[in-house]
Amino acid sequence: MNRYLLGIAVAALTLSAGGAFADKSDDTLRVAFTKELESVDSYYNSAREGVVLQRAIWDGLIYRDPVTNEYVGNLATSWEWIDDTTLELKLREGVSFHNGEPFNADDVVYTVNFVADEANGAVTQNNVNWMESAEKIDDYTVRIHTKAPYPAAIEYLSGPVSMYPNEYYAEVGPTGMGTAPIGTGPYKVVSVDPGKHFVLEANTEYHDGPKGQPEIGRIDIRTIPEVNTQLAELFNGTLDLIWQVPSDQAERIEQMGDFVVSNESTMRVGYLAMDAAGRSGADNPFTDLKVRQAVNHALDRETLVDALLKGKSTPIHTACFPSQFGCAQDVTEYEYDPEKAKALLAEAGYPDGFKTEFYAYRDREYAEAIASYLNAVGIETDFKMLQYSALRDLNMKGEVPISFQTWGSFSVNDASAMVSQFFKHGELDDARDDEVLADLDIADSSTDPAVRKEHYALALQRIADQAYWAPMFSYNTNYVFTDEVSYAPTADEVLRFHEMSWK
């Protein structure tokens, strides 16, 4: 064992007193989350940890197989388009929510009508604002009406759009759902200590849907922000599984041979967002195209991937993930050229550079490396590390000049889940480009795949030409778990507890 891991192991021994040991004999899988989740209600958080809980606790109407990408029925058994804006779905009968409330059309109508109403404040509007309303035809038939033709509807109904119990949700609302969640999913919630501790248990009456019956009886999840503390607990036996482990630690653990280390690609993209629209001040430097181009030329994407991310990560030059439908790759690229970056800054009126606040919410090592590239060309960064929810709130208020961000698209394999999320004049749009908006409106609503691709490509090309973002790299995720756990991670960065079992 090398000195680094020896230090962690020693720390583990000091932490072990009083800890609950992970052991398949008590049929409890103990897992760590890194980020503090602001709410368990899946419509009121946009964190990856929230997606993980969403897939365990709730079901969507449709299910996309993460390996084959085939769509199959989940809470709906079949569906068809009645016209360009009306989707009719037949619902699965005999399904109950965790509180015993029967699932039927009333639940679909209530859920859709609630989350589609912008006044109710669903956090990620792009996931739901394409729906106009839902209509009950009979107890097990519903129609969802879209605001315009929306060809990505099936993808969203298989991902972030979960079905809630109408009677319970009408009574408790998002606050109650966040502390005492009720769904139809393979796991039901035993307890929630908001942001800190979540305990799930297998739903023994789970319906015969595509997720399959859960095999592990209990999932115990704690928020542990420090990766070294997670590693220590893994070594001392109080955790069974950790994920999003930095590459250097994962490599060292793999060398030990005592744990299973699995690396898988994800749909998450890391990027720099810049305030081109001047929301943080009309005279901020990033309103100047040459400054934004300089930022792009300042970044050595290849070295960041090779030295820090490793695994299945790749450099990214466009504002979406390559596998997503419509994510054109043939856009303007900015090679690493610090001298060109300095020249562009001089042309913009900053021959000696300038100072700016620089924000991030995760992956401090990556953010600090990025800051060093900016500092090297004269952009002196005042680095501020915030919680995700705090940085998102600042972004929504338009108070962030430049920030290192990531987005996993809720694992929705369509360009609308990323480029349309950030470039359609919403609260997180720092470009406010009407030309981009016009192309995205066409791409999001056309029923012709060729037209969709054409207009996503036009939007993405303009975003690249105007250097609104500095896309950098795709993420991979390192999963580390004990040899008692059987699990095959998928490429969409979703921990699926229902697919885990004991060896």
Side-chain angles (χ1 to χ4, degrees):
M1 182 182 293
N2 64 36
R3 185 175 300 173
Y4 176 86
L5 289 178
L6 178 61
I8 293 177
V10 170
L13 292 175
T14 67
L15 289 170
S16 61
F21 282 81
D23 187 342
K24 72 176 183 180
S25 63
D26 71 356
D27 200 18
T28 298
L29 181 79
R30 293 177 171 87
V31 181
F33 279 176
T34 302
K35 283 209 301 284
E36 184 174 313
L37 189 63
E38 57 192 302
S39 173
V40 182
D41 187 319
S42 65
Y43 293 107
Y44 291 88
N45 75 75
S46 56
R48 179 58 36 171
E49 289 79 358
V51 176
V52 170
L53 290 178
Q54 178 225 2
R55 305 299 170 92
I57 300 168
W58 291 282
D59 288 313
L61 294 169
I62 299 170
Y63 181 81
R64 175 167 59 82
D65 186 293
V67 177
T68 67
N69 287 324
E70 176 188 6
Y71 296 110
V72 296
N74 193 357
L75 289 178
T77 55
S78 64
W79 57 90
E80 65 173 332
W81 288 100
I82 302 301
D83 56 44
D84 285 350
T85 59
T86 307
L87 181 67
E88 183 172 285
L89 303 102
K90 298 293 185 181
L91 305 181
R92 188 182 297 272
E93 300 185 31
V95 177
S96 294
F97 287 94
H98 301 150
N99 63 352
E101 200 176 315
F103 167 74
N104 55 40
D106 293 329
D107 304 298
V108 178
V109 170
Y110 186 89
T111 301
V112 170
N113 290 344
F114 184 88
V115 300
D117 183 349
E118 189 174 350
N120 289 322
V123 167
T124 305
Q125 280 292 305
N126 193 64
N127 289 344
V128 295
N129 64 8
W130 53 274
M131 296 182 289
E132 179 69 41
S133 63
E135 171 191 7
K136 177 180 178 179
I137 305 304
D138 59 42
D139 281 349
Y140 294 98
T141 307
V142 295
R143 289 181 177 177
I144 294 177
H145 301 282
T146 64
K147 293 178 179 176
Y150 197 73
I154 304 304
E155 176 69 15
Y156 281 86
L157 291 175
S158 73
V161 181
S162 302
M163 292 299 113
Y164 282 9
N166 67 311
E167 295 174 13
Y168 180 73
Y169 204 46
E171 177 184 350
V172 304
T175 301
M177 188 64 90
T179 55
I182 297 293
T184 62
Y187 282 91
K188 54 186 178 181
V189 176
V190 175
S191 65
V192 171
D193 184 358
K196 299 177 181 178
H197 192 191
F198 316 96
V199 180
L200 315 179
E201 68 178 18
N203 178 9
T204 57
E205 298 180 356
Y206 188 55
H207 62 84
D208 187 24
K211 291 181 181 179
Q213 300 299 311
E215 294 192 31
I216 294 179
R218 197 173 183 91
I219 311 293
D220 188 298
I221 305 164
R222 286 180 293 132
T223 300
I224 305 174
E226 294 297 326
V227 174
N228 285 347
T229 306
Q230 293 182 18
L231 290 169
E233 293 216 25
L234 186 73
F235 292 164
N236 74 19
T238 55
L239 285 174
D240 296 293
L241 183 151
I242 61 178
W243 61 314
Q244 299 174 331
V245 178
S247 58
D248 56 345
Q249 282 105 325
E251 289 173 349
R252 291 166 179 147
I253 296 169
E254 192 166 29
Q255 292 169 6
M256 294 171 58
D258 296 329
F259 299 93
V260 178
V261 178
S262 181
N263 178 267
E264 187 52 81
S265 62
T266 77
M267 292 176 65
R268 183 170 298 276
V269 171
Y271 61 93
L272 291 186
M274 292 172 275
D275 181 18
R279 301 171 71 204
S280 62
D283 59 348
N284 91 73
F286 303 104
T287 59
D288 191 310
L289 171 59
K290 290 181 179 179
V291 171
R292 300 195 300 273
Q293 290 172 330
V295 169
N296 273 273
H297 282 300
L299 302 170
D300 188 348
R301 293 163 174 82
E302 294 281 355
T303 296
L304 286 168
V305 168
D306 293 344
L308 295 179
L309 285 95
K310 304 179 182 180
K312 296 184 178 180
S313 291
T314 59
I316 293 289
H317 299 278
T318 192
C320 49
F321 184 74
S323 76
Q324 292 177 315
F325 177 89
C327 186
Q329 300 299 295
D330 185 19
V331 301
T332 299
E333 297 185 8
Y334 297 86
E335 73 278 9
Y336 174 53
D337 190 338
E339 294 307 313
K340 189 171 185 177
K342 292 176 184 178
L344 284 164
L345 288 175
E347 290 175 26
Y350 302 101
D352 299 319
F354 59 86
K355 186 173 182 179
T356 182
E357 294 177 329
F358 172 65
Y359 292 85
Y361 74 93
R362 62 176 287 169
D363 304 314
R364 177 181 287 273
E365 185 179 15
Y366 303 174
E368 289 177 343
I370 293 163
S372 71
Y373 281 122
L374 298 178
N375 293 338
V377 300
I379 301 174
E380 183 184 349
T381 55
D382 177 12
F383 180 52
K384 299 178 183 295
M385 194 82 177
L386 301 180
Q387 290 287 337
Y388 173 71
S389 57
L391 179 52
R392 190 194 65 212
D393 288 346
L394 282 182
N395 276 326
M396 293 172 72
K397 295 175 184 176
E399 298 178 3
V400 179
I402 183 170
S403 59
F404 168 53
Q405 303 271 359
T406 78
W407 189 248
S409 297
F410 282 83
S411 299
V412 171
N413 203 26
D414 192 275
S416 63
M418 188 158 188
V419 65
S420 300
Q421 166 71 15
F422 294 101
F423 289 95
K424 290 187 72 171
H425 292 24
E427 291 178 300
L428 296 174
D429 184 356
D430 286 327
R432 306 297 171 106
D433 186 314
D434 291 338
E435 188 174 324
V436 171
L437 174 64
D439 279 313
L440 291 177
D441 280 342
I442 295 171
D444 287 348
S445 61
S446 175
T447 57
D448 184 336
V451 172
R452 296 192 74 210
K453 288 182 178 180
E454 175 189 358
H455 286 275
Y456 280 132
L458 289 170
L460 290 164
Q461 180 61 64
R462 180 162 176 82
I463 290 166
D465 284 344
Q466 294 296 311
Y468 290 135
W469 274 10
M472 288 182 294
F473 42 71
S474 67
Y475 271 73
N476 66 78
T477 294
N478 290 300
Y479 304 80
V480 182
F481 42 92
T482 71
D483 59 9
E484 291 186 323
V485 177
S486 177
Y487 181 55
T490 53
D492 58 3
E493 200 187 5
V494 178
L495 281 176
R496 290 179 169 84
F497 299 129
H498 61 274
E499 293 185 357
M500 299 179 186
S501 61
W502 301 114
K503 291 181 181 177

